[in-house]
Amino acid sequence: MKKYIYIVAAIVVTFSNCKVDVENPNTITTATFWKTEKDAQYGVDAVYNMFYKPGTYSRWMWFRFDLTSDEGFSQSPWAELKEWTQFRYNNYNFWEGNAWTYRDCYEAIFRANQVLANVPGISFADENNKSRILGQAYYLRGLYYYHLALLWGGPNKSLAIVLEPSTPGMQPEGHTEQEVFEQAIADFSQAQSLLPPSWQGADRGRATKGAALAFRAKCYMQLKMWTEARADLQWLVEGEGKGLYNLRANYFDNFSKDSENNEESVFEIQYSDVNQAPAGDDDFSVDPNLGLNRGQFFAPPGIGWTDGELRPWLVEEFKKERNLANGYDIRLRYTAFYSDMHKDFPGNTRVYNQVSNDELWAKDNWRGRVFFRKYSAEYYRDYDDYYNPTNVRLVRFADVLLLYAECIAQSNGTLSEAVALVDRVRARVNMPGLAVNYPSATTSKEAFLKRLQTERVLELATEGHRWADLKRNGMLDNEAGINELKQHDPDFNNFIIGRHNRLPIPSNEANNNPNITQNPMY
């Protein structure tokens, strides 16, 4: 998809409790909009537009998925921002840590609901185009319900499910985590029936049938519905979608602006630096910034704010085994900046505008630290900012293969088939098969599933998947799991089982809607 397609102003209809008789002819309303195919296209593009809002993947979503997990943490001088990566949730309305992302998820759902409510009444020259627009709206609504369930969902009826455009005074009923995942599954089911397997030309990058099936499988897996998830992933790996997806030979191609929307990408967010609007927090600007902000917040000292960084155990885990050429796993090179990077990988001497050497890593504010590298701008310029044009691959085929392997094992399929899928991912980066260094993982289901947790870290670290993995694998539900995580990340010393498995509902929301219940122990 042409990256500037999302520049269209968001069609956000506001409502008033007062009825007036005077109409402003220059104001867009539901009565004057939603008339043409072009309006429908603008409407669905406005849902995609939410990817550029700071509360979602442009900025703050990474703090919730990467920094709250054991992969990352914060030493930010901004005390409250740091505390929200340490399970120290005091102000439930903290905007950057909680309420902004919560609000933006529901804002995206509101926009999708407008499309789903109004587009069916629009006449199209080709009804297939209408179906594709509706399919994208279902997909995007399902995506945000998935995120709501993953971050805030719990046993209480704490999350609203809204399936029509909101109106003033609406106080929707609360729902449990399972019910919200089930709604996401329903949306992805509609989406996969309406979306094409692929798009061509300027529309490449829009949601596809494969993307809907991948996310439906993720929902099923969080609910431990392994057979259903396996069937969805089978479509991408062995079924009708097989010819559409593959692993890229070069692992770095997944994080470069020069190899986007490739065969490994199942769904990616289209970022751009073509509209370098002011990078303030006016997230309803009609002249939006379309870039990825992540690097500005995670880059090393003197380059970015360094509000987030990585735990050293990640580097240690990568270095536990060698590849078939007796070198280190190339994925480490593209995952982190760390003190021995120039020694472990010849020619790996650049940290933005700094030279990686012993002198650099001996500096007080660099010593012993590990910094984010994926989705940074370091590979083509000396700085990072709010305008990184690198697309975020929200689902990669490597992720699909590893999920499929998990489903095969969990549904009592043939373990050798599951092992072969993991070996396929390892082979792409010249790592030996599991049998070489982890033979028990090839003969024992339990050993395989435990090893698979690590394999997913090595392949997908800092791409926003770890929190879902920790929840799905039960690591947050018992002392044994938490004790293991404490070895990786001391922040888990603050973790209270049953409370920190999910975020608190923002107080303003919980207090103003009697139909939802705050999450347990908050």
Side-chain angles (χ1 to χ4, degrees):
M1 180 191 305
K2 292 182 180 178
K3 291 191 175 184
Y4 56 78
I5 197 163
Y6 297 162
I7 262 180
V8 296
I11 309 303
V12 182
V13 180
T14 58
F15 299 88
S16 170
N17 287 318
C18 302
K19 183 177 181 180
V20 294
D21 295 325
V22 178
E23 278 191 17
N24 182 346
N26 297 313
T27 300
I28 296 176
T29 68
T30 52
T32 59
F33 197 69
W34 304 114
K35 301 294 186 183
T36 67
E37 290 187 40
K38 189 175 183 180
D39 291 343
Q41 189 64 64
Y42 281 167
V44 78
D45 286 349
V47 194
Y48 283 103
N49 181 271
M50 291 302 299
F51 288 136
Y52 305 118
K53 305 305 181 184
T56 66
Y57 276 97
S58 174
R59 187 185 308 176
W60 297 120
M61 191 83 83
W62 300 108
F63 284 73
R64 301 284 60 81
F65 285 137
D66 286 343
L67 299 193
T68 309
S69 82
D70 59 334
E71 292 181 350
F73 72 112
S74 176
Q75 298 188 77
S76 174
W78 185 352
E80 194 166 21
L81 189 69
K82 176 175 62 179
E83 290 167 359
W84 271 75
T85 73
Q86 299 171 330
F87 307 107
R88 296 160 64 193
Y89 306 146
N90 297 312
N91 171 19
Y92 301 169
N93 286 327
F94 179 45
W95 188 236
E96 289 81 2
N98 195 38
W100 201 340
T101 299
Y102 179 93
R103 192 283 308 269
D104 279 2
C105 286
Y106 278 110
E107 174 64 28
I109 289 167
F110 169 70
R111 296 185 184 194
N113 283 340
Q114 290 191 80
V115 175
L116 295 171
N118 291 289
V119 168
I122 298 175
S123 177
F124 277 67
D126 183 347
E127 287 297 308
N128 288 325
N129 291 335
K130 177 188 286 189
S131 294
R132 293 186 182 108
I133 286 175
L134 292 172
Q136 291 171 81
Y138 277 117
Y139 170 83
L140 293 166
R141 188 173 74 177
L143 182 65
Y144 284 98
Y145 275 125
Y146 168 80
H147 288 118
L148 285 165
L150 198 58
L151 291 172
W152 288 276
N156 290 353
K157 291 187 176 295
S158 57
L159 285 171
I161 293 178
V162 186
L163 303 180
E164 58 187 15
S166 305
T167 57
M170 179 181 283
Q171 295 180 324
E173 295 293 325
H175 295 267
T176 65
E177 176 181 13
Q178 177 171 334
E179 290 169 337
V180 178
F181 274 128
E182 288 170 350
Q183 179 57 51
I185 288 169
D187 283 341
F188 290 131
S189 296
Q190 288 281 7
Q192 68 86 26
S193 71
L194 296 169
L195 290 171
S198 63
W199 296 85
Q200 303 301 319
D203 285 321
R204 290 188 68 192
R206 293 190 180 276
T208 62
K209 181 182 182 73
L213 289 171
F215 267 105
R216 188 170 72 174
K218 284 176 177 281
C219 293
Y220 280 136
M221 291 178 73
Q222 295 304 125
L223 297 177
K224 309 295 178 27
M225 300 173 67
W226 309 114
T227 301
E228 291 84 352
R230 179 178 175 178
D232 282 353
L233 297 169
Q234 190 273 342
W235 187 93
L236 288 90
V237 180
E238 300 168 347
E240 295 176 31
K242 179 180 179 180
L244 299 172
Y245 304 107
N246 205 348
L247 298 175
R248 293 283 283 189
N250 184 352
Y251 180 72
F252 175 65
D253 283 351
N254 294 298
F255 316 105
S256 169
K257 66 180 178 61
D258 301 318
S259 52
E260 295 172 335
N261 300 306
N262 61 55
E263 67 272 23
E264 188 162 344
S265 177
V266 179
F267 182 72
E268 65 187 69
I269 302 173
Q270 313 290 306
Y271 287 110
S272 174
D273 58 2
V274 299
N275 192 50
Q276 296 190 14
D281 291 340
D282 179 12
D283 59 343
F284 285 108
S285 170
V286 296
D287 188 30
N289 166 31
L290 305 177
L292 177 63
N293 302 171
R294 169 173 153 143
Q296 177 66 51
F297 288 81
F298 290 173
I303 300 166
W305 308 132
T306 325
D307 288 316
E309 56 195 278
L310 299 180
R311 290 293 185 186
W313 76 270
L314 284 173
V315 176
E316 296 164 5
E317 193 64 48
F318 273 108
K319 297 178 76 169
K320 285 181 178 179
E321 61 176 321
R322 298 288 187 120
N323 63 25
L324 293 174
N326 200 36
Y328 287 117
D329 188 335
I330 194 66
R331 295 175 294 189
L332 171 57
R333 173 173 183 164
Y334 297 117
T335 297
F337 297 113
Y338 62 102
S339 60
D340 287 340
M341 55 181 278
H342 54 285
K343 301 174 184 177
D344 294 341
F345 299 97
N348 187 32
T349 59
R350 186 170 179 267
V351 185
Y352 291 92
N353 60 350
Q354 305 286 321
V355 175
S356 180
N357 54 31
D358 292 345
E359 181 180 357
L360 174 68
W361 292 98
K363 290 182 177 181
D364 287 343
N365 59 348
W366 285 63
R367 186 183 301 115
R369 300 174 77 178
V370 181
F371 303 110
F372 282 79
R373 190 166 193 170
K374 286 180 181 176
Y375 295 126
S376 70
E378 60 83 24
Y379 65 94
Y380 78 99
R381 65 186 185 194
D382 291 340
Y383 61 93
D384 229 314
D385 55 20
Y386 293 87
Y387 313 112
N388 189 333
T390 307
N391 287 0
V392 168
R393 284 67 160 175
L394 212 56
V395 182
R396 293 196 283 117
F397 189 57
D399 183 16
V400 168
L401 291 173
L402 296 177
L403 292 174
Y404 191 36
E406 184 175 345
C407 289
I408 289 173
Q410 290 283 20
S411 61
N412 297 316
T414 304
L415 189 59
S416 60
E417 293 181 18
V419 170
L421 292 165
V422 176
D423 283 348
R424 179 178 174 185
V425 173
R426 288 171 60 87
R428 185 260 296 273
V429 289
N430 202 33
M431 298 299 291
L434 287 177
V436 175
N437 294 316
Y438 310 100
S440 64
T442 67
T443 58
S444 163
K445 171 184 172 180
E446 291 71 24
F448 172 80
L449 289 171
K450 189 61 181 176
R451 180 61 203 173
L452 183 58
Q453 294 179 27
T454 301
E455 292 297 324
R456 286 186 58 78
V457 170
L458 298 177
E459 177 66 28
L460 303 166
T462 76
E463 295 179 47
H465 301 292
R466 180 64 169 167
W467 186 251
D469 289 357
L470 293 178
K471 294 190 75 170
R472 185 174 68 256
N473 290 310
M475 296 288 288
L476 307 180
D477 297 330
N478 56 71
E479 290 293 342
I482 296 302
N483 287 336
E484 182 178 333
L485 295 173
K486 288 177 182 178
Q487 302 305 308
H488 294 165
D489 183 353
D491 289 343
F492 276 86
N493 286 303
N494 301 323
F495 191 95
I496 298 173
I497 295 172
R499 179 182 186 182
H500 295 127
N501 308 56
R502 57 199 61 86
L503 293 167
I505 302 299
S507 297
N508 287 345
E509 184 70 18
N511 294 338
N512 291 326
N513 184 355
N515 296 319
I516 64 172
T517 305
Q518 181 59 271
N519 276 323
M521 304 175 70
Y522 286 109

